[in-house]
Amino acid sequence: LMQYKNGDIKEISEPVSTSCYRTPCDIILSVEGTTLKAHAQTSAEYHINPDQPEVVSEVNLETNITPNDFGGIGIQYLGGATTMIREMRIEWK
């Protein structure tokens, strides 16, 4: 997980090698109290080379945050590989 704030970029969780962004990709983000949780997974097959670190198809990340009442969601796309968002559901409780 990364934090983008006032032009500064900072890691806010441990890095992980994953194939979870391969189609089809499901991502669930949630905030519980002061914890931001991210779950991402794919059912796409991925060949793991035995001589390289394991690349997982499912990740569960979390980090402590300072909650706010601003709300909202955004997606930033900086080019590169083609990206399609087929379905998005946002709940604010």
Side-chain angles (χ1 to χ4, degrees):
L1 297 172
M2 303 294 290
Q3 178 184 50
Y4 297 84
K5 184 177 180 180
N6 300 324
D8 294 325
I9 303 169
K10 177 174 112 177
E11 282 186 12
I12 57 173
S13 70
E14 292 296 317
V16 61
S17 295
T18 181
S19 64
C20 70
Y21 299 111
R22 294 174 178 261
T23 303
C25 172
D26 294 311
I27 301 171
I28 299 171
L29 300 173
S30 63
V31 175
E32 297 176 17
T34 60
T35 304
L36 170 65
K37 295 182 177 186
H39 171 81
Q41 70 180 33
T42 185
S43 57
E45 291 187 20
Y46 179 78
H47 173 73
I48 297 173
N49 186 334
D51 297 331
Q52 296 177 350
E54 184 175 0
V55 177
V56 296
S57 62
E58 180 178 345
V59 295
N60 291 290
L61 304 170
E62 62 180 62
T63 191
N64 290 324
I65 61 166
T66 302
N68 64 54
D69 293 326
F70 304 145
I73 183 150
I75 298 172
Q76 181 177 12
Y77 178 71
L78 301 174
T82 302
T83 300
M84 180 187 86
I85 298 172
R86 186 182 63 155
E87 184 178 330
M88 180 181 287
R89 185 179 79 193
I90 301 166
E91 293 181 19
W92 185 268
K93 296 180 183 181

